[in-house]
Amino acid sequence: MNFGLYLPLLAGLAFCNHCRRPADGQADALALPAAIAMGLATAIMLLLGGGLLTLADSARPGLPLPLVASVLQAASALLLAGTLQRLAAGTAAALGLHWPLLLLNSLLAGLPLYFLPSASSAAASLCAALLSAALFTLLLAQFATLPHRLQRCALPARLQGRPALLLCALIIALALHGLGARLS
Amino acid sequence: MSRPSILPAHTDPGSQPLLTTPLPAQLRLWLQGASCCVEVGQRVLKHQLLAEADSEFGVAVHAPTSGHIRAIGPLPQALPDAPLLDGLQLQPDGLDEALSLPAESNWPALSALALAMRLQDMGVMGQHGPLLPLAWAAKASPLALLIINAVENEPFLQADSMLLCEQAAAVAEAMAMLGRILQPARLVLAIQQEQGAAINALRSLAADQCWQLEVIQAPYPAGDEAQLLRALARPEESGNSLCLPVAGVHAAGRAILHGEPCISRIVTVSTALKQSHNMRALLGSPVADLLTCAGLSSQQHALVHGGGLRGFALPDATIGIHQHSHCLLVRPRQPALTAQPCIRCGDCASICPSQLQPQELYWHCSRQELAQAQHWRLADCSQCGLCSAVCPSQLPLLDSFRLASQQLLLAEQQQCAADAARQRHRFRQFRLERDKQEKAQRLAERAAQQAAKLAQQAAEPTSHAEPTATAADKQAAIAAAMARAAERQQQRPAVAPSVNSSEREAAIAANRQAAIEAAMARAAARKAAQEAAKAAAADAPAMAKDEDQNKPGLNQQQQALIQAAMHRANAQKAAASSSPASLDQDKKALIAAAMARAAARKAAGDETEQDK
Amino acid sequence: MTLVLRLLLLLLAIWLLGKVLRSSAQKLRPATSTLPPLAERIDAILPQTQCGQCGHAGCLPYAQALARGEDSINRCPPGGEDGIRKLAALLHTDYLPFAADAPPQKPKAVALIDEATCIGCTLCIQACPVDAILGSAKQMHTVLADECTGCELCLAPCPVDCISMRPATSQPADWRWGYPVIAIKAVKPGSSS
Amino acid sequence: MNTPVIRLAPTLASRNRQQLLALLPAIAIQLWQWGPPALLALASASASALLADSLGLAWRRQAIWPGLRQGEALLTAVLLSLLLPDAAVPLLCLCTGGAILLLRQLFGGSGSSLFHPVAGGLLLAAPWLPAGLPHADIPLSLALLAGGLWLLWRGLLRWQAPLGLLLVVLIALPVGSGWLLGQSALWLLAGWVMSDGSATPITPRGRLVYGQAAGMLCISFVTLTTQPDAGVTLAACLLLLSASAPLLDRLTLSPGPRT
């Protein structure tokens, strides 16, 4: 895995997240809080999964990394989903914090972190997790506000709405690929 | 990008002469907020009243010269998009015969309201309707600051400067008059730094007068009322200050001191280059005449009414000028610039004196989203036109804001109309309800009186037959009901002993009550029986509901009881009549009897309760 | 060391998420107690012609039916499509085009009584929902044009067909020069600065 | 249309003309440095840009000549040919035309493009660019700076975003960002791409934040990584941040204080 692939993956993931948002009357007003909430949730999952992995590694070294990492990421996602379900079910649902989405985010955004070239030390992996969560939040917020702006573009009728957003996602992914390729 | 540097500087009229337009062939006067009081074909004299103000915001119209009224009807007005509005056409006869003008001799004795109404009658207009707002004058609160606005607000305007240069003494006189009547704590004449000649003309007069000269240095929309008030009023004065245009003040001076109604104004005709002419023109003069006077032809030029930023195109040179026609701009005809899409340069937002976001406003206004436009503070837009002027895409920002404000105004009016209609409808419903209740009350009273009589006749223990009742079983039922009522009546003192202060009164009341109850029960039973005998009534539930609304809201205990009984009986009746129609007589009688019993019992119960 | 830092960051993220959730929950549940009842808010949108074209006996009954969810929002021709949009926004439903069986939309009109033909039967007075008709028995009646909502309810009862609808003339021709928003503001105590 | 008599701002076409005019010294220096091939590149890029623009306009059923006369496509071509002096001519044509079609015409022409075509074209061309250490081009940079200052004086440069970028670069001088100032790509992107309204936030504060964010991202990438090609990195940052422009607008745009 390298950054040139990982960062566009985040863009695609953010686009998926945006498409899965509930489209009701309050979706527009809650778009930005939903993006921030999902970004924070992803940060929690990444930090939790990474921390658990460090603990597991120190407790019993030599475990197969891919298996343990995916189990721990899935566990942290389900733990968060369960906690949210118990404490603030209605709000979490309105903000789109559903467990399948959390699981997807945790696995797709979290797992590659352990295989990135920079994840050599604990501090570096922590830093990578934070940065990737921050970038993911930024991307989510971008997708939350882009449709409003796209309305004012004179896009052809066939491209209105989601296809236009997909186009934007592709361009963002291109830019992220360009940046990520330099990091690797 | 600072505003003063990019706007063309004010050019002083200087030593230019004030022209006077020759008498036009036709005058077109508009009747906004005024109702016509002359007829077609009538000859009128100069200064004669043509239309009286019929609303708070209208002013009277006077004949600018003598002549004949040729038509009264819709005319295009010198407004954006030249809407048709009622106006009158006056054909001058060239004689210019004037009425004699009675000057107001004791004007210092006028109150503010009297002055305001007098100015309205004299046709003196301010920024919004009469020079002095009537609502303000009626409040008669002490005036802290009176601003006379002589700022040439837009590029190319010169009319106010010209007026000050030519008529400085008359303006000073008018201001002294206003100061005397309105008694402001501070009287200020606001003028812009560039109007040098006017300032010179005033400086010599200002020395021994009660007013001050304030020279404004702020950039363009500084001549707007709100901006002037913000600039000149001290915090404690900002609540009760007033801003009047200098042309109106001058006209007010003529009207009050000399009795001369407002029939003309000074108009600048400018070619937006260096050359411009100022002329005194009669109100209603066609624009073409003014152009001819300035040596221009109306065919070869595009016409703009107003200054360089707020002016709007006039489609037609025959439109007559009005009291707000301070400037006419004449431009060579050019192909119109086409609007390009917004490139989000942000210049409009950075230049907006009200700190709005014109690009957002324009987006919502062009999509007719008035609620959003209100959120982006369309109401705070002073329509200064700077955003339109700096827009590199030539977007019609000012036009769309004007249109949207108008639509907003219309929507507000509709909302007011809807609110009024709702109120009237609710009041009508309340009135119908009240009428119904009063009618029911009257009927009940009458029934009670008759029943009391009947009961007295039937005071003998032998319960004699009801004359109208035909079936024997019905009579039996009634008798049973009466007997029960009597029983209850006897039990009543035991139920509620020694509660009443006066037992005698209670006894009398009880006797009467019993009689009434009996009669009521009879009447109800009779009616119910008759109703039940009829075929099925289709609208039974509706009737029940109607009767339900006849709640015993009566203050007299007796009436309450009667009504309660009646309405119970009716409800029962309604229920009965809504049940299958093929009931035999026996059943009907049984129902009626039960009903009557229930009614009587209820009435008695109610009575005891209310006695408590 | 990194583990402690990681734990601290985790706690910070959880705290922030809690804050976001709480603020969103407040946004989700606006203070409904301060709002007037739903029927009143719907009634405020309806045009108050009281014409009964919606099939109810007036605007308020229609509003109540809407509030109970018993009728659809596209039954008010005088309110126009704008009215439907407002109702849709208030009731959180989708915009609906006018019902196929709804009467067609007409421009605003006011009733006019032909004074020569009127026999003074008072039937129209009883029919008018907003008391906009004046007159008494055997006397000529007249319509207060300012109060007339154009509901056309007076047309049917008239025995001599002397009432006709005329287009309302209150279009925005009343372009008042710089309508007096600023003037009123300027003299209201304590309004500006 | 009752629009005002006084026009205080140049039209779009005149704006673009003046922006091109400000590039003239830089073009002259480029021609002097690279000789006839640069002229060929400039001409072919312009032709490809005009062709792509007219194709897009025809596809969107717009009038072609008035659209071309605005000069935005030409400006894009000139900027790209200045940014990619050592690219092969076909690549230059391809990325110019592609960027104009994809990022400009598809989004609906001038003012509507969310992403600046120049940044997009640079990024499209990046994989095929010859790798190598960037060399400082002081004369070109100075010419561009002069052109930018002239634009600023004419009031045509929205200066907040470039200022934010330059501030960050100056602050980061101790980290070793000084060589960036000698890069012509930095000046081109700052003066002609970041000052464009459609791909940046609309509020002054948002633009400042945009410029600072672009500077920080760019400097961190350029100094932390091994591929110090400032132009492509900055273009990628600009694209990424252009997508955040609506977000910055949402955060900074308000109806304003109530009077």
Side-chain angles (χ1 to χ4, degrees), chain B residues 513-538:
Chain B
Q513 211 58 56
I516 290 162
E517 272 161 27
M520 278 275 318
R522 257 198 317 279
R526 186 162 66 241
K527 199 171 171 206
Q530 281 167 0
E531 288 287 329
K534 279 185 197 160

Short mmCIF file of all heavy atoms in Angstrom, two decimals, chain B residues 513-538:
data_model
loop_
_atom_site.label_atom_id
_atom_site.label_comp_id
_atom_site.label_asym_id
_atom_site.label_seq_id
_atom_site.Cartn_x
_atom_site.Cartn_y
_atom_site.Cartn_z
N GLN B 513 -89.17 25.43 39.90
CA GLN B 513 -88.30 24.57 39.13
C GLN B 513 -89.02 23.28 38.75
O GLN B 513 -88.95 22.82 37.62
CB GLN B 513 -87.08 24.24 39.99
CG GLN B 513 -85.83 24.03 39.19
CD GLN B 513 -85.53 25.27 38.36
OE1 GLN B 513 -85.41 26.36 38.90
NE2 GLN B 513 -85.48 25.10 37.05
N ALA B 514 -89.71 22.78 39.71
CA ALA B 514 -90.41 21.52 39.46
C ALA B 514 -91.43 21.70 38.35
O ALA B 514 -91.54 20.87 37.44
CB ALA B 514 -91.10 21.06 40.73
N ALA B 515 -92.15 22.81 38.44
CA ALA B 515 -93.16 23.06 37.43
C ALA B 515 -92.50 23.18 36.05
O ALA B 515 -92.96 22.56 35.08
CB ALA B 515 -93.90 24.35 37.76
N ILE B 516 -91.43 23.91 36.05
CA ILE B 516 -90.76 24.11 34.76
C ILE B 516 -90.25 22.80 34.22
O ILE B 516 -90.40 22.47 33.05
CB ILE B 516 -89.62 25.11 34.92
CG1 ILE B 516 -90.19 26.49 35.17
CG2 ILE B 516 -88.73 25.14 33.69
CD1 ILE B 516 -89.20 27.46 35.75
N GLU B 517 -89.65 22.03 35.13
CA GLU B 517 -89.11 20.75 34.69
C GLU B 517 -90.18 19.88 34.10
O GLU B 517 -90.00 19.27 33.05
CB GLU B 517 -88.48 20.02 35.87
CG GLU B 517 -87.03 20.39 36.08
CD GLU B 517 -86.62 20.03 37.48
OE1 GLU B 517 -87.21 19.10 38.05
OE2 GLU B 517 -85.71 20.71 38.01
N ALA B 518 -91.27 19.87 34.75
CA ALA B 518 -92.35 19.03 34.27
C ALA B 518 -92.78 19.48 32.88
O ALA B 518 -92.92 18.67 31.96
CB ALA B 518 -93.54 19.12 35.24
N ALA B 519 -92.94 20.78 32.76
CA ALA B 519 -93.38 21.30 31.46
C ALA B 519 -92.33 20.99 30.40
O ALA B 519 -92.65 20.58 29.29
CB ALA B 519 -93.56 22.81 31.56
N MET B 520 -91.08 21.19 30.80
CA MET B 520 -89.99 20.93 29.88
C MET B 520 -90.01 19.50 29.43
O MET B 520 -89.86 19.19 28.24
CB MET B 520 -88.67 21.16 30.62
CG MET B 520 -88.26 22.56 30.70
SD MET B 520 -87.41 22.96 29.24
CE MET B 520 -86.45 21.48 29.06
N ALA B 521 -90.11 18.65 30.37
CA ALA B 521 -90.10 17.22 30.06
C ALA B 521 -91.24 16.91 29.10
O ALA B 521 -91.07 16.17 28.13
CB ALA B 521 -90.24 16.41 31.33
N ARG B 522 -92.37 17.49 29.38
CA ARG B 522 -93.53 17.26 28.49
C ARG B 522 -93.22 17.75 27.08
O ARG B 522 -93.42 17.03 26.11
CB ARG B 522 -94.74 18.02 29.05
CG ARG B 522 -95.73 17.14 29.77
CD ARG B 522 -97.07 17.81 29.90
NE ARG B 522 -97.05 19.21 30.27
CZ ARG B 522 -96.90 19.65 31.51
NH1 ARG B 522 -96.72 18.79 32.50
NH2 ARG B 522 -96.91 20.94 31.77
N ALA B 523 -92.74 18.97 27.06
CA ALA B 523 -92.48 19.55 25.74
C ALA B 523 -91.45 18.72 24.99
O ALA B 523 -91.63 18.40 23.81
CB ALA B 523 -91.98 20.98 25.89
N ALA B 524 -90.42 18.36 25.71
CA ALA B 524 -89.36 17.60 25.05
C ALA B 524 -89.88 16.27 24.56
O ALA B 524 -89.58 15.83 23.44
CB ALA B 524 -88.21 17.40 26.02
N ALA B 525 -90.64 15.64 25.41
CA ALA B 525 -91.16 14.33 25.05
C ALA B 525 -92.04 14.44 23.82
O ALA B 525 -91.98 13.62 22.91
CB ALA B 525 -91.95 13.75 26.22
N ARG B 526 -92.87 15.48 23.83
CA ARG B 526 -93.79 15.66 22.72
C ARG B 526 -92.99 15.85 21.42
O ARG B 526 -93.21 15.18 20.42
CB ARG B 526 -94.65 16.90 22.99
CG ARG B 526 -95.73 17.10 21.97
CD ARG B 526 -96.77 18.04 22.51
NE ARG B 526 -96.23 19.39 22.71
CZ ARG B 526 -96.18 19.99 23.87
NH1 ARG B 526 -96.62 19.37 24.97
NH2 ARG B 526 -95.69 21.20 23.97
N LYS B 527 -92.01 16.74 21.52
CA LYS B 527 -91.25 17.05 20.33
C LYS B 527 -90.50 15.81 19.84
O LYS B 527 -90.47 15.47 18.66
CB LYS B 527 -90.24 18.16 20.64
CG LYS B 527 -89.74 18.84 19.40
CD LYS B 527 -88.93 20.06 19.75
CE LYS B 527 -88.25 20.58 18.50
NZ LYS B 527 -87.04 21.31 18.81
N ALA B 528 -89.93 15.13 20.82
CA ALA B 528 -89.15 13.96 20.46
C ALA B 528 -90.03 12.93 19.79
O ALA B 528 -89.64 12.30 18.79
CB ALA B 528 -88.49 13.37 21.70
N ALA B 529 -91.19 12.77 20.33
CA ALA B 529 -92.10 11.77 19.77
C ALA B 529 -92.46 12.14 18.33
O ALA B 529 -92.47 11.29 17.44
CB ALA B 529 -93.36 11.66 20.62
N GLN B 530 -92.73 13.41 18.13
CA GLN B 530 -93.10 13.83 16.78
C GLN B 530 -91.94 13.61 15.83
O GLN B 530 -92.12 13.12 14.71
CB GLN B 530 -93.49 15.32 16.79
CG GLN B 530 -94.89 15.54 17.31
CD GLN B 530 -95.13 17.00 17.61
OE1 GLN B 530 -94.25 17.83 17.43
NE2 GLN B 530 -96.33 17.29 18.09
N GLU B 531 -90.77 13.95 16.31
CA GLU B 531 -89.61 13.79 15.45
C GLU B 531 -89.38 12.33 15.11
O GLU B 531 -89.06 11.97 13.97
CB GLU B 531 -88.37 14.38 16.12
CG GLU B 531 -88.37 15.89 16.18
CD GLU B 531 -88.10 16.50 14.84
OE1 GLU B 531 -87.36 15.87 14.04
OE2 GLU B 531 -88.64 17.59 14.57
N ALA B 532 -89.50 11.54 16.14
CA ALA B 532 -89.23 10.12 15.94
C ALA B 532 -90.24 9.50 15.01
O ALA B 532 -89.94 8.53 14.31
CB ALA B 532 -89.25 9.39 17.30
N ALA B 533 -91.43 10.04 15.02
CA ALA B 533 -92.46 9.52 14.13
C ALA B 533 -92.13 9.81 12.67
O ALA B 533 -92.55 9.09 11.78
CB ALA B 533 -93.82 10.13 14.48
N LYS B 534 -91.39 10.84 12.46
CA LYS B 534 -91.00 11.15 11.09
C LYS B 534 -90.09 10.06 10.53
O LYS B 534 -89.53 9.26 11.28
CB LYS B 534 -90.25 12.48 11.04
CG LYS B 534 -91.15 13.68 11.06
CD LYS B 534 -90.28 14.92 10.87
CE LYS B 534 -91.03 16.17 11.27
NZ LYS B 534 -90.08 17.23 11.54
N ALA B 535 -89.90 10.09 9.25
CA ALA B 535 -88.94 9.16 8.64
C ALA B 535 -87.53 9.58 9.03
O ALA B 535 -87.34 10.63 9.64
CB ALA B 535 -89.11 9.18 7.12
N ALA B 536 -86.59 8.75 8.69
CA ALA B 536 -85.22 8.99 9.13
C ALA B 536 -84.73 10.36 8.67
O ALA B 536 -84.86 10.70 7.51
CB ALA B 536 -84.31 7.90 8.55
N ALA B 537 -84.19 11.07 9.62
CA ALA B 537 -83.64 12.38 9.25
C ALA B 537 -82.17 12.20 8.90
O ALA B 537 -81.41 11.59 9.64
CB ALA B 537 -83.81 13.34 10.43
N ALA B 538 -81.81 12.72 7.78
CA ALA B 538 -80.46 12.42 7.28
C ALA B 538 -79.39 13.17 8.05
O ALA B 538 -78.30 12.67 8.29
CB ALA B 538 -80.38 12.78 5.80
#
